[in-house]
Amino acid sequence: MEKMLKPEAWHPEIDIKQYRFDNGLTLLVLPEHGLPIVSFQVHYAVGSRNERPGITGISHLFEHMMFRGSKELGPEEFSQVIQAKGGEVNAFTTSDNTSYFENLPAAHLELAVRLEAERLVHLRLTQDNFATEREVVRSERKLRAVDSPLGLPLELLSAMAYTQHPYQWPILGWDYDLRNLTLEDCLDFHRTYYNPANLVAVVSGDVDSQQAQDLVAKYFGPIPSPGVPPPIRAQEPPQRGERRAIYKKVSQVEAFLAGFHVPGLKDPEIYAVLLLAAILGEGKASRGYQRFVRPGKAIDLEVHLPPPPFAYQDPGLLVIIGLAAPGQPLATLEEEVWDEIAQIQDQGVTPEELNRVKKMMRAQYVKVLANNFYRGVLAALLYLKTGEAGLVNRIPDLYDQVSPDDIQAAARRYLNEDNRTVVMLKPVSEAENAALGPVA
């Protein structure tokens, strides 16, 4: 009854069975028999952080290539077969992983396991498939980055904030690199990263643990593995002073984008930073909304920092985006945002506002855990990024342990000028935009 009336008080406990196969594959099984459905997921420990200049964007391109056919199936037939059984199929790429999943009736679990194993071994990598999909990805980049109001300023922000770590380039890659990728690049990428030792498989839902183990052993067990790929050891040095730039483009509004280096997912301090971000920008009770949006000083004030399991594996960026309201000076808005942060650094936050965001974060987390698919994603990505799938059961406590002093300390340590990178979006006319040259 208590969790029905106060879902934020519910402390979920997810049952996770973990198995390791001789070829290095890790399997996580999360039994849940409430409904006759199951989610089968394959998460590869490869994302844009594993790329290098010259092949940026190849992780995301490869996500597309995995749907271009195999020995058994033609282009896009993978999705059609799963959908014909009442299921859904999709994939996503981040800085740290590339993931594929099928959500379908439990009776068809073996089909999903068999097809995922088949395309891992027999993916059809041809020049025609590669050339076609490369243009699809370039078009996606144009839509999501070039034609997006804040897409290119955000790319510039990361490129300036990181000088050595691969997080400096976008997941979509640079267009120049995409244009010059070759089929041989893809074949080499596939040999290095697409093998059993570099993936975590998940079966979440109406399944018996032994059944899941037997199915994965049957189809993935015989696949040989060259072993775990070389680790990425890049480390971004501490920033030593503010970095600032102006980005000119045709735009209806002025905006500033600011990035601050913050800890990665393995660092327990990330939970204080996440709650700090929520106090600043999450919901209409946040400081950002109450001080800037509600009085009409800003059209919007957003604070972005992905929560677990999507938080960065290595130290990431907390990003603040301020859009000035028409007639309001952008420089004034920016200075007042820094004043608000300085107030937290000097005076801290109240217990009431910290409790508000704790309840909110817990409620959001519990809502996610109610979904079969997201339970699997949580366990798998936490395992890939921290080596501990069981962290899924401790995250609510880690939020609860954060004190007002922790929030103040995090604001002082991370949201300071020397750790700040700022990009100002300056609107220009069509003529000036054309004179500045093409964008990509």
Side-chain angles (χ1 to χ4, degrees):
M1 178 60 74
E2 183 186 17
K3 72 181 183 183
M4 293 176 65
L5 297 176
K6 296 176 62 180
E8 71 276 10
W10 183 36
H11 190 149
E13 290 287 341
I14 305 300
D15 181 22
I16 304 173
K17 311 292 186 187
Q18 182 172 329
Y19 305 96
R20 183 85 168 178
F21 293 86
D22 290 341
N23 58 9
L25 184 148
T26 296
L27 169 66
L28 304 176
V29 184
L30 288 68
E32 169 56 55
H33 302 290
L35 294 170
I37 56 175
V38 69
S39 179
F40 180 63
Q41 306 169 9
V42 181
H43 302 267
Y44 292 89
V46 59
S48 58
R49 70 192 296 275
N50 300 90
E51 300 166 354
R52 64 178 187 276
I55 63 166
T56 65
I58 195 171
S59 303
H60 174 243
L61 171 62
F62 218 87
E63 175 201 318
H64 284 244
M65 294 294 292
M66 288 287 279
F67 291 92
R68 293 300 300 172
S70 60
K71 181 179 179 180
E72 184 176 339
L73 300 176
E76 308 306 328
E77 197 175 351
F78 189 105
S79 302
Q80 296 165 9
V81 169
I82 296 295
Q83 289 164 357
K85 299 297 183 183
E88 61 174 352
V89 55
N90 214 329
F92 59 93
T93 305
T94 76
S95 301
D96 303 309
N97 62 282
T98 307
S99 302
Y100 305 84
F101 62 87
E102 294 81 44
N103 301 326
L104 72 172
H108 301 299
L109 171 62
E110 182 167 2
L111 173 67
V113 178
R114 179 172 66 80
L115 292 183
E116 280 289 3
E118 199 269 339
R119 71 173 171 179
L120 169 59
V121 178
H122 299 295
L123 186 65
R124 188 180 301 174
L125 290 171
T126 67
Q127 185 61 42
D128 285 346
N129 281 345
F130 166 71
T132 299
E133 214 55 42
R134 183 176 58 181
E135 293 311 304
V136 170
V137 169
R138 288 188 64 207
S139 296
E140 183 178 346
R141 173 180 162 72
K142 184 175 186 305
L143 177 68
R144 292 170 56 186
V146 178
D147 294 341
S148 169
L150 299 178
L152 294 178
L154 279 168
E155 288 188 350
L156 177 59
L157 183 73
S158 293
M160 290 172 57
Y162 291 102
T163 60
Q164 299 184 27
H165 193 280
Y167 286 164
Q168 66 187 264
W169 52 77
I171 296 167
L172 291 168
W174 302 121
D175 187 64
Y176 179 84
D177 287 348
L178 291 172
R179 280 189 280 125
N180 288 282
L181 281 175
T182 66
L183 178 60
E184 185 54 44
D185 291 328
C186 278
L187 292 168
D188 182 58
F189 189 83
H190 184 255
R191 284 191 293 267
T192 303
Y193 293 109
Y194 276 70
N195 71 71
N198 201 45
L199 70 84
V200 175
V202 178
V203 185
S204 176
D206 187 21
V207 64
D208 175 77
S209 297
Q210 188 61 52
Q211 177 199 3
Q213 189 179 0
D214 291 345
L215 282 175
V216 172
K218 179 180 179 181
Y219 293 105
F220 281 85
I223 301 174
S225 173
V228 179
I232 299 300
R233 301 190 186 281
Q235 185 174 2
E236 186 67 23
Q239 190 164 330
R240 300 179 66 85
E242 185 186 61
R243 300 165 189 160
R244 184 171 283 265
I246 295 173
Y247 192 91
K248 296 180 177 180
K249 66 172 294 186
V250 176
S251 174
Q252 299 298 312
V253 296
E254 288 185 290
F256 76 88
L257 303 86
F260 299 84
H261 295 279
V262 295
L265 187 54
K266 284 184 180 179
D267 191 328
E269 199 171 13
I270 185 66
Y271 297 96
V273 181
L274 284 161
L275 291 169
L276 170 60
I279 288 171
L280 285 171
E282 186 75 24
K284 292 187 175 180
S286 68
R287 293 193 177 207
Y289 186 89
Q290 289 295 322
R291 178 164 177 183
F292 304 109
V293 179
R294 187 175 183 182
K297 297 178 179 179
I299 297 173
D300 198 9
L301 187 84
E302 303 173 6
V303 182
H304 296 281
L305 183 62
F310 300 106
Y312 295 97
Q313 181 170 334
D314 297 330
L317 281 186
L318 181 152
V319 175
I320 299 175
I321 301 175
L323 280 73
Q328 297 292 323
L330 182 64
T332 302
L333 173 64
E334 184 193 349
E335 282 305 315
E336 291 189 2
V337 171
W338 304 151
D339 288 345
E340 189 66 33
I341 291 172
Q343 187 175 19
I344 295 176
Q345 292 167 337
D346 293 339
Q347 303 172 23
V349 298
T350 66
E352 290 75 19
E353 63 184 336
L354 179 55
N355 287 335
R356 179 187 72 81
V357 294
K358 282 183 177 179
K359 288 181 180 178
M360 182 174 61
M361 299 296 264
R362 177 183 278 270
Q364 291 174 352
Y365 193 72
V366 169
K367 183 178 179 181
V368 166
L369 288 182
N371 184 289
N372 200 37
F373 161 69
Y374 285 114
R375 278 198 301 274
V377 171
L378 264 167
L381 296 190
L382 289 175
Y383 178 81
L384 277 182
K385 296 180 182 182
T386 72
E388 186 185 1
L391 182 58
V392 70
N393 288 324
R394 295 194 290 111
I395 285 177
D397 288 341
L398 293 170
Y399 281 125
D400 283 346
Q401 291 166 10
V402 175
S403 69
D405 287 346
D406 295 329
I407 299 291
Q408 187 175 19
R412 289 173 174 172
R413 185 170 297 124
Y414 300 111
L415 302 192
N416 61 74
E417 183 176 345
D418 286 340
N419 189 38
R420 187 169 72 203
T421 302
V422 180
V423 174
M424 309 295 288
L425 171 59
K426 183 176 181 180
V428 297
S429 66
E430 293 281 359
E432 187 176 357
N433 185 62
L436 288 169
V439 294

